[in-house]
Amino acid sequence: MAQVSEDQVLDALKRVTDTDKGRDVVSLGMISGLVIKDGNVGFALEVDPADGERKDPLRKACEQAVEALPGALSVTVVLTAHREAKEASPPPAPTASPPPATTAPATDKPLVPGVRSIIAIASGKGGVGKSTTAVNLALAMAADGRKVGVLDSDIYGPSMPRMLGISGRPSSPDGKMLKPMENYGVKCMSMGFLVDEDTPMIWRGPMVMSAIEQMLRDVEWGELDVLVVDMPPGTGDAQLTLAQKVPLTGAVIVSTPQDIALLDARRGLNMFRKVDVPVFGIVENMSYYICTECGHRAEIFSHGGARRIAEQLGMEFLGEVPLDIEIRETSDSGQPIVVSRPESEQAQTYRRIAERVTARIDAALGEGARKAPKIVIQ
Ligand code: ADP
């Protein structure tokens, strides 16, 4: 079958009318970021910030119009709201937190019913091993008998498909909800399944949040004990909004021993504190080195910095993971060490860290229960 072209998509969208404005979405300039890859179509629908999710039916109409095209295998439309007109913004909420980068209205509905807890794995910058830590912790929790999902929200560089050894595209039997992909007993959703890894995508802050909200809301996660969110690296607006909008139970910060990274780690801690998300603690990754020839443990320059910083900042130090070729090779080849060599010292290290994290999750959920509103009888 011939693959769908950009012109065909735009033609189909010209038949979708925004009833508020009485014109079609293309001539209104609402379509942006159109990407087509192997019959998979993705684009953003830009709406007025004041309209927010009220425009979701229009988003669905766009999705359906493109889906109807022969040759369109999947269609992902994200609703974005570009904050421009200051006077149109809602009055600031009476909190110390800065305004969110997206204006999709907060809803009281749980984003992901059936999911008991959501934890973020974050880092101040890229390349510190955040995704490697996230995948091994998720697998360690699953090995402990928990029902686990992984949401790869690192949409700039999604690595979960590769790390979990999953390829292909998620299916949508009912045409509404996507079924998460699954391997090693862990469910996973990632932009990497929807767009090609080599396709450069330009994401603006609001688009990031919209895509992530859809990966939370429009995916059949089912019953999960823990949803592990692999955050985009860094502490910019997109990350702050994510931390603010996703109902996080807590966060884990991954850092390398280098001081510069630790400065970034502090930023990460402050970001979560700003939005009242408890930081469960810090993991020092690539913390020491085991010589492959003699098995001797070699210390790395500025090792231990994460532990010191954690103590200074009153955070728990969750553990240290060695710089280790097997950790690298296994995660890069889709067989993370926790599943491929569960008896290894490295896998045990991840299991111990995962136990500390799950203890913190359980404590946080318990606290939540205690904080339930008092019943007042009048
Ligand atoms: P991030 O998510 O922070 O960008 P990744 O998890 O993608 O980082 O890791 C970056 C690279 O470092 C990957 O090739 C990964 O395999 C490797 N890596 C991560 N942790 C370790 C480790 N403890 N030992 C050796 N290599 C590691």
Side-chain angles (χ1 to χ4, degrees), residues 175-196:
K176 290 189 196 115
M177 300 285 281
L178 283 178
K179 278 177 88 84
M181 306 293 273
E182 190 166 339
N183 199 13
Y184 307 124
V186 164
K187 291 180 179 167
C188 176
M189 189 61 204
S190 166
M191 261 300 146
F193 296 133
L194 305 173
V195 296
D196 196 80

Side-chain angles (χ1 to χ4, degrees), residues 98-102 122-126 130 153-154 156 203-206 208-209 212 231-245 248 263-272 274-275:
T102 178
S123 65
K125 62 171 197 174
K130 169 183 55 59
S153 71
D154 186 351
Y156 304 103
W203 294 93
R204 286 201 320 263
V208 174
M209 197 52 221
I212 291 165
M231 295 271 287
T235 49
D237 270 359
Q239 290 80 354
L240 179 66
T241 309
L242 205 157
Q244 192 168 36
K245 290 238 157 183
L248 293 171
L263 262 186
D264 289 332
R266 271 180 214 248
R267 261 184 231 128
L269 173 74
N270 289 335
M271 174 178 83
F272 288 111
K274 236 186 251 174
V275 293

Side-chain angles (χ1 to χ4, degrees), residues 9-10 13 25-26 28-34 43-46 62 77:
V9 171
L10 291 174
L13 290 171
V25 291
V26 176
L28 285 166
M30 296 171 82
I31 306 297
S32 63
L34 175 62
F43 56 89
L45 178 70
E46 295 206 26
C62 292
V77 185

Side-chain angles (χ1 to χ4, degrees), residues 123 125-133 154 159 162-163 230 285-286 321-325 327-329 331-332 350:
S123 65
K125 62 171 197 174
V128 302
K130 169 183 55 59
S131 302
T132 307
T133 308
D154 186 351
S159 47
R162 178 171 43 87
M163 289 195 176
D230 185 13
N285 188 38
M286 311 195 205
V321 177
L323 170 66
D324 175 77
I325 187 72
I327 292 182
R328 177 184 296 265
E329 284 173 356
S331 69
D332 288 353
Y350 284 118

Side-chain angles (χ1 to χ4, degrees), residues 6 17-18 26 35 86 107 117 122 125-126 140 172 178 184 189 222 251 256 267 295 307 334 343 349 368:
E6 201 172 306
T17 306
D18 180 355
V26 176
V35 247
K86 282 228 166 58
T107 58
S117 63
K125 62 171 197 174
S172 175
L178 283 178
Y184 307 124
M189 189 61 204
T256 62
R267 261 184 231 128
R307 183 189 287 273
E343 73 297 342
T349 300

